[in-house]
Structure formats: C-alpha cells, structure tokens
Amino acid sequence: MATDIIQDPPTSTLIFSTASSNFSKTLTDIKRSSLSIPNRLRSLQQDSKFVLSVADTFNLPLIANERCGGWYIPPERKASSAYFKSTDGHTGQWKFSLRRLNLHVLDVVAEHGGCIIADSARRGKSMPDALSKTIPIWCCVLNRVFFPKDIDTHQLYTPHGIVSNSEHSQIEGFLGGFVKRFQDLHLPLPVLRQTFTKPLRPVWVRPETALSTCMPINANKSNVVILCTASRCHAPEDWYIQGAGDDGEGWAHGLTADLYWANKEMLMRTPEGELEGSIAQLVASAGRPTDLGYTLINPTTGVYVGTSAAATAAAAASYGEADFDLIIDCSPVEKHGPPDQVDPQKIGTKVKAKSLTLPCGTGKLGSRALRKELPHAADFIAKAINDVSSDQEQSQGLRILATCPTATDLAVGVALMEEVGLDYGVNAERESVKVDVAGC
C-alpha cells in the first residue's frame, strides 16, 4: 500500500503572528519601567533608613563597602569606606586579597570597639558574597595572624542558612594558605598590634533581622564587625528594587553616591521625564574643574595628585617650567583611539615637562586598563631616576604629578606606584621596578 509523504512547507510560506513579539516588547517595557531611576532612588532612600537604624541601635560607625555601600550612607554618617569584593567570596573562588587588605578598617574598629559594614545584594540573593564570605575570611585570617596563640579566635564564622556546611568546610581548607600569603608581605605587625588588641567577630543583620536579639557577643573580648545587608529580598511595594545601588555604571547616567546625597531632595521631587536631564546637568557641573591645582601626597615630598586639567595646565607651563619633573596622566581611552592602536610610550605632550599619558577609561574598566599600563609608567619613572643622577637624595627629590579626570581614582594608584618606584632609587634595575610595581 502506498504511503503519502507529507513534506514540511517552506519557511517562506509560514506566517507568524505578531502577538508574541508584541507581548515580549510589553514585558521588556514593564521591566524597564520597574527598574527606572525614580524607583531606584526610592528604594535607596528606604534601604538607607534601615542602615541608619542599625547604626543607631548599636551605636557603631558606618563603613560603606564600595562602590555600592556609599548609596546607603549619608556622607556625614560615613566613617570610612572599604573595598571587599564579592568575587573573592564566590563559591570555589575564595580569596584573601593582597591588593585589598583594607587594614584602614582596623583604625575605625579599634577606636569604636567595632563597626558596621554596609552593602546590598542583587535580586535573587539574600546577602552579597562580600558579607557572607569575603569579610568573614578576612576577619579569620587577621585573627590568626595577630593572635597566633589564642586558638579560640581562629574559628571561621559564616552566616547559617547562607553558607552551607560543605562550603564552610572547603573555605577552612584554604585559610592556612591565606595566612601564609599575608605573612609573606612582611608588614609591620608590631605597629598594627598597638591598636588592634582584640580579635574580630563578624555578625550579620538584614532587614528581616530582629536587631534586639542579633548580637550575643562579648564586647570586652572581641571587636564586633556587623555586616549589614541593606536591601530586602521580598517587598510588598511593586516599585521596590533589591540592590538598587548595585552596578551604578549601568543605570545612574554618571550620577555618583556623593552627588546623589548632595542633591537628594531635588532628585526625589524631580518628575521622571526630567530626571535624566537633571542628572546630566549635575554630572556636567561636577565634572568642571573648580581648581586647577594639585595636592601633595603625605608623607612624600614630591608625589602630587591632581585633575587631568592640572596636567594640561602644567604641561603648558601655567604653573612654571620647574614645577614638575614628570607628569603622568590617565585619560579616557576615547581621547586616543582604540587601545590596540595606541602606543602609550608615544602619547603625551612634551612641552615644558616630561609627560606620559596612559589611555585608561573610568570606573571598573579603567582600573583594569591601568593594571596593564602600569609597566609603561614604571619604565618611565625608572628611566627618569636613572637620568637624574647617581645621587639617591636627588632622585627622591623628583616632583611627579599623577592625574586623572577626578583626581580621586586612577591617579591615586599611579601615585602609589610612583612612590614605590622612587623608593627603589637610581641603582635599582628597571626590570625589578617594573615587575614589583606592576603587582601593586
């Protein structure tokens, strides 16, 4: 018996309904609306109230875990900033960062008997990995290094219900290596011990936490480090955005936490249709250099930080030909073209001072670019040191200006590298300066 073979029709004859694409577009529009800037600002305002209530309850200073934490703490209430990365706490990627030691936090802790470190979690997470694992690892490593004979302080603490027993045990297996790496830095531990006299004990709070029952810690024996998650996992408000301050580069249109707090009332009352324009005006105004000067970095005698405008003025001799021996400017990449087409050694205006421009963007991408460019700057400084004189004092008397658009970002990293380079002196091998500085 013959069987008819049914062939599929050619795709050109198929007619697809536009309903599915319209539905998808509607969902996208709804999501974009729910994640609007006004909703983010309202969410930040609400979460900030919780963070301040934690500080008032425990009478401890607030530290913002940047870059997100600063959105939740008014500048007048912020005792300091910290830089603990969630990536250092990701499962299977646990790390004690030697680039982000955050030892300045110990000064705040020693003065007040503890601190509160604020951060937030994105949608789907009840706590950021920085608070659940990165900082607990940091506390445990410091306790083991500073109190080697006090075995009771060597325990790793992680939040129950957030970090599984299995992951907790795996992290413990790495702690010995983390301790050794920290000790290999040969930091002046006796000096630090003068203020760091009690071990650190992490405690966790979230909006769901009953604050009155969350701290059974003996303050006489430990410095409590309260790890505060600002955002809620579940909220009845349909406009609420969990972790609203996260990834500001993706939604804030250049608005920073400092700008937000300085103009909070105005921003909150601005209609949504006018908000992006108002933010653009704020950002443009903040970006205008109000001072073309520069700041000496203490305790150095010749390392300065300033804005890129200061570099331009200095190169044009507005400050006088002898003001700086070297100028290193970190400028946005778009100013020079694609990175793979730019030779950093050939960039820079050699007018009245020896200068070098490193093609770096801003924010997170700029910091990554800077790490790749630091060897060029190290060579630049090493050559200048060797050219000056064989006199160690004269080489350390070099006046060097490091700049970036804000004078508070990449220029600071370059200034640190400059000081390290000067410490090597003229007799240092250029390759040693290059390698050691590039690891800063």
Side-chain angles (χ1 to χ4, degrees):
M1 185 173 82
T3 302
D4 293 335
I5 300 176
I6 302 177
Q7 296 182 340
D8 293 334
T11 56
S12 60
T13 65
L14 296 180
I15 300 176
F16 294 96
S17 171
T18 60
S20 60
S21 60
N22 290 338
F23 181 68
S24 176
K25 182 178 183 301
T26 300
L27 289 178
T28 301
D29 291 341
I30 292 175
K31 182 178 180 181
R32 183 180 297 113
S33 175
S34 65
L35 297 177
S36 66
I37 296 178
N39 285 350
R40 287 189 181 274
L41 298 184
R42 292 174 70 188
S43 301
L44 289 172
Q45 184 180 43
Q46 187 172 95
D47 290 343
S48 174
K49 293 178 181 178
F50 169 70
V51 173
L52 295 179
S53 73
V54 175
D56 293 337
T57 298
F58 298 112
N59 193 28
L60 288 173
L62 286 164
I63 294 178
N65 192 35
E66 305 293 3
R67 291 171 297 169
C68 183
W71 292 95
Y72 300 95
I73 305 175
E76 66 273 12
R77 296 290 300 271
K78 186 168 73 171
S80 185
S81 292
Y83 302 89
F84 295 100
K85 301 283 285 184
S86 280
T87 51
D88 293 338
H90 286 350
T91 301
Q93 301 178 30
W94 312 290
K95 182 180 179 182
F96 178 84
S97 175
L98 301 182
R99 288 199 300 112
R100 293 177 290 272
L101 289 175
N102 288 293
L103 296 182
H104 64 284
V105 172
L106 298 181
D107 294 332
V108 179
V109 169
E111 181 180 353
H112 300 276
C115 69
I116 301 166
I117 302 179
D119 203 346
S120 71
R122 294 186 184 188
R123 182 179 179 182
K125 291 182 70 71
S126 57
M127 187 180 296
D129 287 344
L131 300 189
S132 64
K133 287 173 280 188
T134 304
I135 298 179
I137 289 172
W138 178 80
C139 290
C140 184
V141 169
L142 293 190
N143 286 345
R144 293 187 179 199
V145 170
F146 284 94
F147 308 98
K149 296 181 180 180
D150 191 353
I151 304 300
D152 292 339
T153 68
H154 294 183
Q155 180 179 344
L156 171 68
Y157 293 95
T158 54
H160 297 295
I162 304 295
V163 178
S164 68
N165 292 336
S166 173
E167 184 172 11
H168 181 100
S169 298
Q170 291 179 67
I171 295 173
E172 287 182 317
F174 288 90
L175 292 175
F178 295 157
V179 168
K180 185 178 185 308
R181 291 181 63 206
F182 182 48
Q183 291 173 328
D184 288 345
L185 294 177
H186 301 295
L187 297 177
L189 297 184
V191 176
L192 295 172
R193 283 195 184 99
Q194 293 177 8
T195 55
F196 187 33
T197 58
K198 293 187 294 185
L200 303 170
R201 175 62 162 90
V203 175
W204 295 266
V205 296
R206 293 181 286 165
E208 298 82 6
T209 303
L211 298 182
S212 60
T213 62
C214 75
M215 204 169 78
I217 305 302
N218 189 337
N220 293 324
K221 294 184 178 180
S222 302
N223 286 313
V224 63
V225 179
I226 298 179
L227 305 178
C228 175
T229 301
S231 52
R232 293 174 289 163
C233 286
H234 307 286
E237 303 90 350
D238 56 4
W239 49 261
Y240 180 77
I241 300 175
Q242 182 183 354
D246 197 21
D247 192 25
E249 292 178 349
W251 63 266
H253 299 279
L255 184 70
T256 64
D258 287 341
L259 274 178
Y260 159 70
W261 284 110
N263 302 275
K264 175 174 168 289
E265 299 305 324
M266 181 274 287
L267 291 170
M268 296 302 296
R269 65 174 180 263
T270 300
E272 180 173 358
E274 302 173 13
L275 195 52
E276 287 191 22
S278 297
I279 290 174
Q281 291 179 358
L282 288 176
V283 172
S285 176
R288 297 190 192 106
T290 57
D291 181 8
L292 295 181
Y294 41 83
T295 301
L296 175 68
I297 302 299
N298 293 320
T300 74
T301 58
V303 177
Y304 295 79
V305 168
T307 63
S308 295
T312 302
S318 295
Y319 296 131
E321 181 175 348
D323 267 20
F324 298 108
D325 300 289
L326 300 175
I327 301 173
I328 301 178
D329 179 38
C330 301
S331 295
V333 176
E334 56 267 21
K335 184 176 178 180
H336 307 289
D340 57 352
Q341 298 179 17
V342 174
D343 181 356
Q345 298 284 40
K346 296 181 180 178
I347 301 177
T349 307
K350 298 176 176 60
V351 181
K352 295 292 184 180
K354 296 180 180 178
S355 63
L356 173 70
T357 302
L358 304 178
C360 301
T362 57
K364 189 182 299 183
L365 295 179
S367 64
R368 291 175 184 170
L370 179 62
R371 290 175 209 150
K372 296 180 181 179
E373 300 299 338
L374 278 179
H376 296 293
D379 279 343
F380 184 62
I381 293 175
K383 183 177 185 302
I385 291 174
N386 289 326
D387 287 347
V388 170
S389 168
S390 60
D391 185 341
Q392 177 79 9
E393 292 185 3
Q394 187 173 349
S395 68
Q396 292 187 336
L398 287 173
R399 291 169 57 86
I400 306 178
L401 174 65
T403 64
C404 66
T406 64
T408 60
D409 190 10
L410 303 183
V412 179
V414 173
L416 173 62
M417 182 272 302
E418 291 169 357
E419 178 60 15
V420 173
L422 291 175
D423 281 345
Y424 272 86
V426 299
N427 296 321
E429 293 292 334
R430 288 180 65 199
E431 191 62 25
S432 337
V433 177
K434 175 180 177 180
V435 172
D436 289 344
V437 171
C440 290

